Amino acid sequence: MKLAIVGPGALGCLLAALLREAGEDVSLVDYRPDRVARLGRDGIQVHTLEGGHRLVKVPIGLPPEVGACDVTIIAVKAYQTATAAQALPVLMSAGGLALTLQNGLGNLEELARVAGPERLLAGVGLLGVTRTGEGRIVYAGQGAIFIGVPAGSRVSGTEVAALAEILRHAGLPCQAREDIEAVLWEKLVINAGINPLTALLRVPNGALLELPPAWELAVAAATETQAVATAAGLTLTGDPEARLRQVCTATAANRSSMLQDVLAGRPTEIEALNAQVAKLGQTLGVPTPVNHFLTQLVRALGAAVALRVG
Ligand code: KPL
């Protein structure tokens, strides 16, 4: 099976490296020729928290160089989805499928606008992985990956099971889930709590457990998100605080993806996370003051850089 991973960020590099080490026919896909040349030459460095490190050479190319694949995994930031979607007609073979493992709401819809919904899969990765440089990652926490068939898709259960098996064989604990929409929201509950607060305070995920005022806000944002999901007709299992605690503990040393974006001076995914929760909350009549507040603070954080003193 030929696999493509779109986006050489933290998650993309981790997936590509582990799949390659497991002997899969996998390529990374990027849209920047200069980065393609460097990563092709230098490979991917995977570091562990215990101090171990290894170099994995993964084929990488622009979409036309990689060509048609059986499985295309989208691992770009939510604000890059529209651009990544343009590559799908080149990357998806006839009968091929595409899986989004991105944070936030709206990614599936963006991909479906170009590729149609029939061959799309949705998923979430609760993996603690930090990008410390181009092609350089620290794998800080081994959480699960859940994948499933979203509304409108015709991908079969057998195909989902086969893909889950490939990911598991590469050392990624992957489970197929029937209720993937609820799973996406369960991930959103986590991201809405962890990502803005770790980015604003510049702390790793585990530090939220040690900072009671921050923890209170994280739990409030997560609880509001769960209330919006419930109002939208979804059944999320478990308590938001318990879920947040479990992920903060499992990925304690990890820098959230939003913190990594802030530190690198990149845009953040706030518009696909807390901003979406606040917007949908308003539509459904569910109060979301904490999500709105965190959205505004993270928006201001980006804009404030140019105005800072000292
Ligand atoms: O998804 C994540 C992210 O950083 O975006 C978590 C699970 C919070 C891990 O850091």
Side-chain angles (χ1 to χ4, degrees):
M1 190 179 290
K2 187 174 168 189
L3 300 134
I5 313 291
V6 182
L11 179 63
C13 283
L14 178 72
L15 294 173
L18 295 184
L19 286 163
R20 181 74 181 166
E21 286 182 319
E24 296 297 340
D25 176 6
V26 61
S27 299
L28 261 171
V29 180
D30 194 5
Y31 69 98
R32 274 179 45 187
D34 58 323
R35 199 162 49 191
V36 165
R38 284 194 300 274
L39 288 173
R41 186 192 60 210
D42 300 339
I44 296 171
Q45 288 180 54
V46 182
H47 293 253
T48 63
L49 286 180
E50 294 73 38
H53 106 272
R54 52 199 203 268
L55 179 69
V56 189
K57 291 275 190 167
V58 180
I60 176 166
L62 301 170
E65 293 165 351
V66 172
C69 296
D70 303 301
V71 174
T72 301
I73 301 180
I74 312 294
V76 299
K77 298 288 177 183
Y79 52 81
Q80 295 166 328
T81 308
T83 308
Q86 300 307 318
L88 289 182
V90 175
L91 293 173
M92 288 172 75
S93 65
L97 60 86
L99 163 69
T100 158
L101 284 180
Q102 301 164 274
N103 280 340
L105 299 179
N107 297 307
L108 267 172
E109 293 75 2
E110 202 76 69
L111 299 175
R113 262 193 272 285
V114 176
E118 296 83 5
R119 300 295 298 162
L120 295 185
L121 286 182
V124 302
L126 294 166
L127 305 165
V129 52
T130 303
R131 179 185 183 276
T132 52
E134 192 174 85
R136 191 174 189 279
I137 54 171
V138 179
Y139 190 19
Q142 216 202 35
I145 292 181
F146 299 111
I147 61 174
V149 183
S153 171
R154 299 202 177 159
V155 176
S156 70
T158 316
E159 290 173 289
V160 177
L163 179 55
E165 183 50 38
I166 287 174
L167 292 170
R168 277 197 297 272
H169 182 241
L172 293 154
C174 180
Q175 270 178 42
R177 291 278 296 255
E178 298 281 325
D179 56 343
I180 197 67
E181 214 185 325
V183 175
L184 294 179
W185 272 89
E186 283 169 7
K187 176 82 193 293
L188 185 59
V189 166
I190 291 162
N191 289 132
I194 296 180
N195 293 27
L197 283 153
T198 49
L200 289 161
L201 299 170
R202 299 191 175 218
V203 294
N205 296 351
L208 293 182
L209 294 163
E210 325 262 316
L211 298 166
W215 182 248
E216 193 182 296
L217 284 171
V219 172
T223 306
E224 285 177 11
T225 305
Q226 182 134 334
V228 173
T230 306
L234 293 153
T235 308
L236 306 198
T237 51
D239 165 54
E241 177 163 3
R243 188 173 300 127
L244 216 50
R245 187 178 299 281
Q246 189 266 320
V247 176
C248 281
T249 306
T251 64
N254 188 52
R255 294 175 178 182
S256 76
S257 54
M258 194 173 286
L259 172 58
Q260 294 180 49
D261 288 338
V262 167
L263 293 176
R266 291 189 294 262
T268 72
E269 293 186 311
I270 196 74
E271 302 304 329
L273 300 175
N274 305 70
Q276 286 293 327
V277 175
K279 195 169 151 200
L280 200 58
Q282 200 166 28
T283 310
L284 297 170
V286 178
T288 54
V290 178
N291 276 282
H292 176 67
F293 172 72
L294 292 175
T295 299
Q296 294 297 72
L297 272 182
V298 173
R299 283 176 178 159
L301 185 67
V305 174
L307 306 173
R308 248 182 218 154
V309 289

PDB file of all heavy atoms in Angstrom, residues 103 125-128 187 190-191 194-195 205 247 251 254-258 269, ligand 1:
ATOM      1  N   ASN A 103      -6.316  18.953  14.052  1.00  0.00           N
ATOM      2  CA  ASN A 103      -7.080  19.531  15.165  1.00  0.00           C
ATOM      3  C   ASN A 103      -8.219  20.393  14.647  1.00  0.00           C
ATOM      4  O   ASN A 103      -8.106  21.015  13.591  1.00  0.00           O
ATOM      5  CB  ASN A 103      -6.185  20.457  15.992  1.00  0.00           C
ATOM      6  CG  ASN A 103      -5.282  19.711  16.961  1.00  0.00           C
ATOM      7  OD1 ASN A 103      -5.551  18.564  17.308  1.00  0.00           O
ATOM      8  ND2 ASN A 103      -4.227  20.355  17.397  1.00  0.00           N
ATOM      9  N   GLY A 125      -5.356  12.340  16.709  1.00  0.00           N
ATOM     10  CA  GLY A 125      -4.143  11.772  17.300  1.00  0.00           C
ATOM     11  C   GLY A 125      -3.897  12.458  18.630  1.00  0.00           C
ATOM     12  O   GLY A 125      -3.809  13.677  18.677  1.00  0.00           O
ATOM     13  N   LEU A 126      -3.825  11.667  19.679  1.00  0.00           N
ATOM     14  CA  LEU A 126      -3.550  12.250  21.008  1.00  0.00           C
ATOM     15  C   LEU A 126      -2.075  12.041  21.340  1.00  0.00           C
ATOM     16  O   LEU A 126      -1.713  11.521  22.384  1.00  0.00           O
ATOM     17  CB  LEU A 126      -4.446  11.604  22.059  1.00  0.00           C
ATOM     18  CG  LEU A 126      -5.933  11.907  21.889  1.00  0.00           C
ATOM     19  CD1 LEU A 126      -6.780  10.992  22.736  1.00  0.00           C
ATOM     20  CD2 LEU A 126      -6.222  13.354  22.239  1.00  0.00           C
ATOM     21  N   LEU A 127      -1.245  12.407  20.384  1.00  0.00           N
ATOM     22  CA  LEU A 127       0.176  12.103  20.508  1.00  0.00           C
ATOM     23  C   LEU A 127       0.923  13.343  20.976  1.00  0.00           C
ATOM     24  O   LEU A 127       0.686  14.432  20.463  1.00  0.00           O
ATOM     25  CB  LEU A 127       0.735  11.678  19.138  1.00  0.00           C
ATOM     26  CG  LEU A 127      -0.004  10.525  18.472  1.00  0.00           C
ATOM     27  CD1 LEU A 127       0.376  10.433  17.016  1.00  0.00           C
ATOM     28  CD2 LEU A 127       0.326   9.221  19.182  1.00  0.00           C
ATOM     29  N   GLY A 128       1.816  13.175  21.917  1.00  0.00           N
ATOM     30  CA  GLY A 128       2.634  14.298  22.370  1.00  0.00           C
ATOM     31  C   GLY A 128       3.906  14.350  21.544  1.00  0.00           C
ATOM     32  O   GLY A 128       4.857  13.614  21.815  1.00  0.00           O
ATOM     33  N   LYS A 187     -11.771  15.273  21.254  1.00  0.00           N
ATOM     34  CA  LYS A 187     -10.435  15.873  21.070  1.00  0.00           C
ATOM     35  C   LYS A 187     -10.528  17.393  21.174  1.00  0.00           C
ATOM     36  O   LYS A 187      -9.652  18.047  21.746  1.00  0.00           O
ATOM     37  CB  LYS A 187      -9.864  15.454  19.710  1.00  0.00           C
ATOM     38  CG  LYS A 187      -8.519  16.095  19.344  1.00  0.00           C
ATOM     39  CD  LYS A 187      -7.341  15.406  19.969  1.00  0.00           C
ATOM     40  CE  LYS A 187      -6.019  16.151  19.904  1.00  0.00           C
ATOM     41  NZ  LYS A 187      -5.433  16.326  18.614  1.00  0.00           N
ATOM     42  N   ILE A 190     -10.425  18.610  24.625  1.00  0.00           N
ATOM     43  CA  ILE A 190      -9.050  18.630  25.158  1.00  0.00           C
ATOM     44  C   ILE A 190      -8.280  19.836  24.625  1.00  0.00           C
ATOM     45  O   ILE A 190      -7.654  20.585  25.367  1.00  0.00           O
ATOM     46  CB  ILE A 190      -8.331  17.310  24.787  1.00  0.00           C
ATOM     47  CG1 ILE A 190      -8.963  16.159  25.566  1.00  0.00           C
ATOM     48  CG2 ILE A 190      -6.843  17.405  25.034  1.00  0.00           C
ATOM     49  CD1 ILE A 190      -8.671  14.803  24.990  1.00  0.00           C
ATOM     50  N   ASN A 191      -8.336  20.021  23.292  1.00  0.00           N
ATOM     51  CA  ASN A 191      -7.575  21.127  22.692  1.00  0.00           C
ATOM     52  C   ASN A 191      -8.073  22.490  23.181  1.00  0.00           C
ATOM     53  O   ASN A 191      -7.278  23.408  23.389  1.00  0.00           O
ATOM     54  CB  ASN A 191      -7.654  21.075  21.157  1.00  0.00           C
ATOM     55  CG  ASN A 191      -6.872  19.933  20.569  1.00  0.00           C
ATOM     56  OD1 ASN A 191      -7.366  19.188  19.726  1.00  0.00           O
ATOM     57  ND2 ASN A 191      -5.641  19.762  21.000  1.00  0.00           N
ATOM     58  N   ILE A 194      -6.440  22.755  26.733  1.00  0.00           N
ATOM     59  CA  ILE A 194      -4.973  22.764  26.865  1.00  0.00           C
ATOM     60  C   ILE A 194      -4.295  23.815  25.974  1.00  0.00           C
ATOM     61  O   ILE A 194      -3.410  24.560  26.425  1.00  0.00           O
ATOM     62  CB  ILE A 194      -4.390  21.359  26.519  1.00  0.00           C
ATOM     63  CG1 ILE A 194      -4.874  20.314  27.525  1.00  0.00           C
ATOM     64  CG2 ILE A 194      -2.870  21.412  26.462  1.00  0.00           C
ATOM     65  CD1 ILE A 194      -4.365  18.908  27.266  1.00  0.00           C
ATOM     66  N   ASN A 195      -4.694  23.883  24.697  1.00  0.00           N
ATOM     67  CA  ASN A 195      -3.875  24.621  23.729  1.00  0.00           C
ATOM     68  C   ASN A 195      -3.755  26.123  24.019  1.00  0.00           C
ATOM     69  O   ASN A 195      -2.637  26.645  24.076  1.00  0.00           O
ATOM     70  CB  ASN A 195      -4.357  24.348  22.305  1.00  0.00           C
ATOM     71  CG  ASN A 195      -4.107  22.901  21.902  1.00  0.00           C
ATOM     72  OD1 ASN A 195      -4.053  22.025  22.760  1.00  0.00           O
ATOM     73  ND2 ASN A 195      -3.950  22.634  20.630  1.00  0.00           N
ATOM     74  N   ASN A 205       2.298  20.934  28.658  1.00  0.00           N
ATOM     75  CA  ASN A 205       0.940  20.502  29.024  1.00  0.00           C
ATOM     76  C   ASN A 205       0.791  20.167  30.507  1.00  0.00           C
ATOM     77  O   ASN A 205      -0.190  20.536  31.154  1.00  0.00           O
ATOM     78  CB  ASN A 205       0.535  19.278  28.199  1.00  0.00           C
ATOM     79  CG  ASN A 205       0.449  19.592  26.719  1.00  0.00           C
ATOM     80  OD1 ASN A 205       0.538  20.757  26.320  1.00  0.00           O
ATOM     81  ND2 ASN A 205       0.287  18.570  25.888  1.00  0.00           N
ATOM     82  N   VAL A 247      -4.968  13.548  29.677  1.00  0.00           N
ATOM     83  CA  VAL A 247      -4.093  13.945  28.552  1.00  0.00           C
ATOM     84  C   VAL A 247      -2.931  14.809  29.046  1.00  0.00           C
ATOM     85  O   VAL A 247      -1.796  14.639  28.599  1.00  0.00           O
ATOM     86  CB  VAL A 247      -4.897  14.663  27.440  1.00  0.00           C
ATOM     87  CG1 VAL A 247      -3.976  15.161  26.333  1.00  0.00           C
ATOM     88  CG2 VAL A 247      -5.940  13.728  26.852  1.00  0.00           C
ATOM     89  N   THR A 251       0.852  13.563  28.406  1.00  0.00           N
ATOM     90  CA  THR A 251       1.714  14.370  27.516  1.00  0.00           C
ATOM     91  C   THR A 251       2.359  15.509  28.319  1.00  0.00           C
ATOM     92  O   THR A 251       2.565  16.603  27.789  1.00  0.00           O
ATOM     93  CB  THR A 251       0.900  14.950  26.333  1.00  0.00           C
ATOM     94  OG1 THR A 251      -0.095  15.873  26.852  1.00  0.00           O
ATOM     95  CG2 THR A 251       0.183  13.889  25.526  1.00  0.00           C
ATOM     96  N   ASN A 254       5.134  17.571  26.953  1.00  0.00           N
ATOM     97  CA  ASN A 254       4.945  18.046  25.579  1.00  0.00           C
ATOM     98  C   ASN A 254       4.558  19.514  25.537  1.00  0.00           C
ATOM     99  O   ASN A 254       3.813  20.005  26.379  1.00  0.00           O
ATOM    100  CB  ASN A 254       3.839  17.216  24.919  1.00  0.00           C
ATOM    101  CG  ASN A 254       3.718  17.499  23.445  1.00  0.00           C
ATOM    102  OD1 ASN A 254       4.711  17.437  22.731  1.00  0.00           O
ATOM    103  ND2 ASN A 254       2.541  17.845  23.010  1.00  0.00           N
ATOM    104  N   ARG A 255       5.038  20.201  24.489  1.00  0.00           N
ATOM    105  CA  ARG A 255       4.553  21.549  24.211  1.00  0.00           C
ATOM    106  C   ARG A 255       3.366  21.397  23.273  1.00  0.00           C
ATOM    107  O   ARG A 255       3.490  20.756  22.212  1.00  0.00           O
ATOM    108  CB  ARG A 255       5.629  22.361  23.500  1.00  0.00           C
ATOM    109  CG  ARG A 255       6.820  22.620  24.380  1.00  0.00           C
ATOM    110  CD  ARG A 255       7.915  23.327  23.616  1.00  0.00           C
ATOM    111  NE  ARG A 255       9.023  23.606  24.514  1.00  0.00           N
ATOM    112  CZ  ARG A 255      10.110  24.243  24.146  1.00  0.00           C
ATOM    113  NH1 ARG A 255      10.268  24.665  22.917  1.00  0.00           N
ATOM    114  NH2 ARG A 255      11.063  24.466  25.014  1.00  0.00           N
ATOM    115  N   SER A 256       2.230  21.973  23.636  1.00  0.00           N
ATOM    116  CA  SER A 256       1.057  21.838  22.777  1.00  0.00           C
ATOM    117  C   SER A 256       1.367  22.428  21.412  1.00  0.00           C
ATOM    118  O   SER A 256       2.272  23.253  21.262  1.00  0.00           O
ATOM    119  CB  SER A 256      -0.146  22.570  23.386  1.00  0.00           C
ATOM    120  OG  SER A 256       0.004  23.973  23.195  1.00  0.00           O
ATOM    121  N   SER A 257       0.594  22.003  20.411  1.00  0.00           N
ATOM    122  CA  SER A 257       0.849  22.497  19.056  1.00  0.00           C
ATOM    123  C   SER A 257       0.681  24.015  18.986  1.00  0.00           C
ATOM    124  O   SER A 257       1.385  24.693  18.244  1.00  0.00           O
ATOM    125  CB  SER A 257      -0.080  21.796  18.067  1.00  0.00           C
ATOM    126  OG  SER A 257      -1.422  21.931  18.482  1.00  0.00           O
ATOM    127  N   MET A 258      -0.233  24.560  19.817  1.00  0.00           N
ATOM    128  CA  MET A 258      -0.421  26.017  19.772  1.00  0.00           C
ATOM    129  C   MET A 258       0.776  26.746  20.395  1.00  0.00           C
ATOM    130  O   MET A 258       1.204  27.779  19.898  1.00  0.00           O
ATOM    131  CB  MET A 258      -1.724  26.419  20.468  1.00  0.00           C
ATOM    132  CG  MET A 258      -2.135  27.837  20.158  1.00  0.00           C
ATOM    133  SD  MET A 258      -3.759  28.277  20.796  1.00  0.00           S
ATOM    134  CE  MET A 258      -4.868  27.410  19.707  1.00  0.00           C
ATOM    135  N   GLU A 269      -3.976  27.798  15.624  1.00  0.00           N
ATOM    136  CA  GLU A 269      -5.233  27.152  15.195  1.00  0.00           C
ATOM    137  C   GLU A 269      -6.432  27.634  16.009  1.00  0.00           C
ATOM    138  O   GLU A 269      -7.464  26.980  16.034  1.00  0.00           O
ATOM    139  CB  GLU A 269      -5.095  25.634  15.320  1.00  0.00           C
ATOM    140  CG  GLU A 269      -4.100  25.040  14.342  1.00  0.00           C
ATOM    141  CD  GLU A 269      -4.069  23.522  14.368  1.00  0.00           C
ATOM    142  OE1 GLU A 269      -3.981  22.947  15.470  1.00  0.00           O
ATOM    143  OE2 GLU A 269      -4.110  22.904  13.298  1.00  0.00           O
TER     144      GLU A 269
HETATM  145  O1  KPL B   1      -3.410  17.715  20.361  1.00  0.00           O
HETATM  146  C1  KPL B   1      -2.639  18.214  21.123  1.00  0.00           C
HETATM  147  C2  KPL B   1      -2.001  19.469  20.654  1.00  0.00           C
HETATM  148  O2  KPL B   1      -0.993  19.900  21.200  1.00  0.00           O
HETATM  149  O3  KPL B   1      -2.532  20.032  19.674  1.00  0.00           O
HETATM  150  C3  KPL B   1      -2.423  17.646  22.494  1.00  0.00           C
HETATM  151  C4  KPL B   1      -3.140  16.318  22.619  1.00  0.00           C
HETATM  152  C5  KPL B   1      -2.958  18.627  23.510  1.00  0.00           C
HETATM  153  C6  KPL B   1      -1.002  17.314  22.797  1.00  0.00           C
HETATM  154  O4  KPL B   1      -0.193  18.410  23.040  1.00  0.00           O
END
